[in-house]
């Protein structure tokens, strides 16, 4: 019997935690999912092993899978208690073998780095609108602008000149707009002054963004990385425990060559690339929306994703409204909800959450601890 992993996940999404009012896939409660020869096995990780939900979830999973997939399906469900939370001094290995400390991120479920091998491909535009699309779909979302040298998120979000406050616990409180909690170095420095920092200072700033901030409960934290694959990028991805990375490229050969380097960088630091996005994929005239002109080549990022065995999340067209909305501080997902670009970002967000759910369901939580303390 052949059973698709996506079908199993879709069934399990119907099971909601009564207190959280979210399904067990979205809450990242399903681990070690394996499917082979008509046999499905997985573990449901619960906070309260003696509570009513823990006592009922095993039977609920088995019943739904039998009803909606197949009566002949062999289902093995284990219910386990949640791991002891990691403390505020989790150790993460860096390139030199030393250990970097990052303060606790207990409320952040998934951390996604949006990266590009080179500048000028619309990475920040994708990061902002991806965050907006996830928020529109009901997720609790944070957006962190880690581009220390050229932060563009404040302008794109219409937050120039704003400053975060510090609460009674001496933690920064992120600014919030369009339903997304946001933090950027652009909030901290004079926009007319250049930031001239070496790697250690960048590392410290990024750590503060994550550890010394009262984020609350976040389901998806989107990190807008600086362009390129240099020391700053390596420092960031090796300092922050990442769920995965999204690589942005245009279809142009020069951009694709650098996107390939970006994939290699994440491979070198054992960060899974959960998808690739093709930006500026085509242009459709406003008076002829059915016509497509491929100005920078056609399907280049899609073909590269297939070659590198990376999920292709989708393509975003060139639209004047994207530029106008970014300049005016209202991302296109909010300013033009019916546009082709907004639809594209919504589909990319759907694909991203699907890929993250697949990877989270496969992860062994005990292995995560071993990696963090390696």
């Amino acid at each position: 019997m052949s059973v698709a992993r996506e079908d199993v996940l879709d069934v399990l999404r119907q099971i909601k935690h009564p207190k959280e009012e979210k399904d067990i896939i979205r809450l990242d409660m399903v681990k070690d999912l394996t499917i082979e020869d008509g046999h499905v096995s997985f573990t449901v990780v619960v906070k309260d092993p003696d509570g009513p939900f823990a006592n009922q979830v095993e039977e609920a999973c088995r019943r739904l899978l039998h009803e909606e997939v197949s009566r002949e399906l062999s289902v093995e469900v284990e219910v386990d208690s949640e791991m002891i939370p990691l403390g505020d001094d989790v150790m993460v290995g860096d390139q030199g073998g030393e250990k970097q400390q990052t303060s606790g991120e207990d409320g952040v479920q998934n951390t996604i780095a949006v990266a590009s091998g080179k500048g000028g491909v619309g990475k920040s535009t994708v990061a902002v609108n991806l965050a907006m699309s996830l928020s529109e779909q009901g997720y609790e979302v944070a957006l962190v602008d880690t581009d220390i040298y050229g932060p563009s998120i404040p302008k794109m979000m219409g937050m120039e000149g704003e400053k975060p406050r510090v609460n009674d616990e001496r933690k920064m409180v992120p600014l919030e707009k369009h339903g997304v909690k946001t933090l950027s170095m652009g909030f901290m420095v004079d926009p007319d002054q250049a930031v001239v920092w070496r790697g250690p200072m960048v590392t410290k700033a990024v750590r503060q963004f994550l550890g010394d901030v009262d984020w609350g409960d976040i389901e998806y934290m989107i990190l807008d990385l600086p362009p390129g694959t240099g020391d700053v990028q390596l420092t960031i991805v090796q300092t922050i425990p990442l769920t995965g990375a999204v690589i942005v490229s245009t279809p142009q050969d020069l951009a694709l060559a650098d996107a390939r380097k970006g994939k290699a960088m994440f491979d070198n630091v054992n960060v899974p690339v959960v998808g690739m996005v093709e930006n500026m994929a085509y242009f459709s005239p406003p008076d002829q929306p059915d016509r497509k002109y491929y100005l920078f080549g056609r399907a280049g990022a899609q073909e590269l994703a297939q070659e590198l065995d990376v999920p292709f999340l989708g393509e975003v067209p060139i639209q004047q409204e994207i530029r106008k909305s970014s300049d005016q501080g209202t991302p296109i997902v909010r300013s033009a909800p019916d546009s082709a670009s907004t639809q594209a970002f919504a589909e990319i967000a759907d694909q991203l959450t699907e890929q993250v759910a697949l990877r989270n369901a496969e992860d062994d939580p005990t292995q995560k601890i071993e990696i963090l303390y390696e």
Side-chain angles (χ1 to χ4, degrees):
M1 179 191 305
S2 177
V3 178
R5 184 176 297 272
E6 290 81 359
D7 292 340
V8 173
L9 292 175
D10 285 342
V11 171
L12 296 180
R13 285 191 178 96
Q14 299 179 39
I15 301 174
K16 294 186 177 181
H17 194 289
K19 292 183 179 179
E20 302 286 348
E21 297 184 349
K22 298 174 184 176
D23 65 74
I24 60 176
I25 297 298
R26 182 166 172 178
L27 291 170
D28 195 19
M29 296 174 68
V30 176
K31 302 293 184 182
D32 304 330
L33 175 63
T34 59
I35 302 173
E36 186 176 1
D37 298 330
H39 178 76
V40 175
S41 67
F42 55 90
T43 300
V44 180
V45 181
V46 297
K47 293 182 179 180
D48 181 7
D50 298 321
F53 179 76
N55 295 327
Q56 299 170 9
V57 67
E58 178 181 349
E59 177 57 29
C61 291
R62 184 177 288 106
R63 176 176 54 80
L64 275 177
L65 286 169
H66 282 156
E67 289 177 355
E68 303 206 12
V69 178
S70 173
R71 293 285 182 184
E72 300 177 0
L73 187 66
S74 172
V75 180
E76 180 182 350
V77 184
E78 180 179 351
V79 179
D80 197 1
S81 59
E82 191 174 57
M83 298 179 299
I84 298 173
L86 299 178
D88 286 347
D89 293 321
V90 176
M91 307 299 285
V92 183
D94 71 356
Q95 189 175 14
E98 298 178 358
K99 301 293 183 179
Q100 297 288 344
Q101 292 185 342
T102 138
S103 296
E105 303 150 277
D106 295 344
V108 180
Q109 290 186 24
N110 300 291
T111 310
I112 306 296
V114 178
S116 64
K118 70 190 302 290
V121 299
K123 168 186 57 61
S124 294
T125 299
V126 171
V128 167
N129 285 284
L130 176 58
M132 291 282 295
S133 293
L134 290 168
S135 176
E136 291 286 319
Q137 293 177 11
Y139 292 99
E140 297 294 332
V141 182
L143 176 62
V144 183
D145 187 357
T146 65
D147 192 347
I148 303 297
Y149 302 119
S152 54
I153 299 300
K155 182 174 182 62
M156 297 176 72
M157 292 288 285
M159 305 171 77
E160 287 183 294
E162 298 188 29
K163 304 289 184 184
R165 65 180 180 85
V166 177
N167 63 17
D168 294 338
E169 286 76 38
R170 304 302 298 165
K171 287 193 172 187
M172 282 188 292
V173 178
L175 300 173
E176 186 168 349
K177 194 168 185 179
H178 306 307
V180 176
K181 294 181 179 180
T182 306
L183 202 58
S184 168
M185 182 53 64
F187 298 146
M188 318 294 177
V189 299
D190 188 331
D192 296 326
Q193 298 296 319
V195 177
V196 185
W197 288 353
R198 295 187 182 274
M201 286 291 290
V202 175
T203 302
K204 183 178 179 181
V206 174
R207 281 210 218 113
Q208 283 189 301
F209 280 178
L210 294 179
D212 294 339
V213 178
D214 184 9
W215 287 109
D217 292 328
I218 297 295
E219 292 173 278
Y220 281 91
M221 175 176 282
I222 305 299
L223 302 174
D224 181 22
L225 262 60
T229 56
D231 178 66
V232 173
Q233 291 79 9
L234 280 172
T235 299
I236 291 172
V237 301
Q238 291 177 319
T239 300
I240 305 165
L242 295 174
T243 305
V246 171
I247 296 178
V248 180
S249 179
T250 63
Q252 188 178 13
D253 287 345
L254 288 174
L256 294 171
D258 289 322
R260 187 187 299 271
K261 296 175 184 176
K263 169 64 163 59
M265 177 187 74
F266 287 112
D267 287 344
N268 288 337
V269 293
N270 297 317
V271 172
V273 175
V274 294
M276 184 172 290
V277 173
E278 182 166 289
N279 196 29
M280 309 183 201
Y282 60 87
F283 169 72
S284 293
D287 57 343
Q288 295 178 303
D290 296 331
R291 298 287 299 272
K292 293 182 179 181
Y293 296 91
Y294 298 92
L295 305 180
F296 300 112
R298 185 170 184 173
Q302 185 172 357
E303 292 172 0
L304 180 62
Q306 184 176 5
E307 176 189 338
L308 298 177
D309 195 24
V310 169
F312 182 68
L313 302 182
E315 60 181 19
V316 182
I318 300 173
Q319 283 192 290
Q320 183 180 5
E321 183 62 31
I322 293 182
R323 191 269 304 165
K324 289 174 59 179
S325 62
S326 297
D327 288 347
Q328 294 170 358
T330 305
I332 192 168
V333 167
R334 180 58 60 88
S335 66
D338 297 326
S339 67
S341 294
T342 297
Q343 180 60 38
F345 283 119
E347 293 174 0
I348 289 169
D350 285 339
Q351 291 294 320
L352 174 64
T353 56
E354 184 72 25
Q355 292 301 320
V356 170
L358 285 168
R359 290 188 176 275
N360 285 346
E362 293 171 351
D363 283 342
D364 180 354
T366 60
Q367 181 66 20
K368 284 187 176 180
I369 295 181
E370 293 171 6
I371 293 172
L372 287 171
Y373 283 91
E374 192 172 62

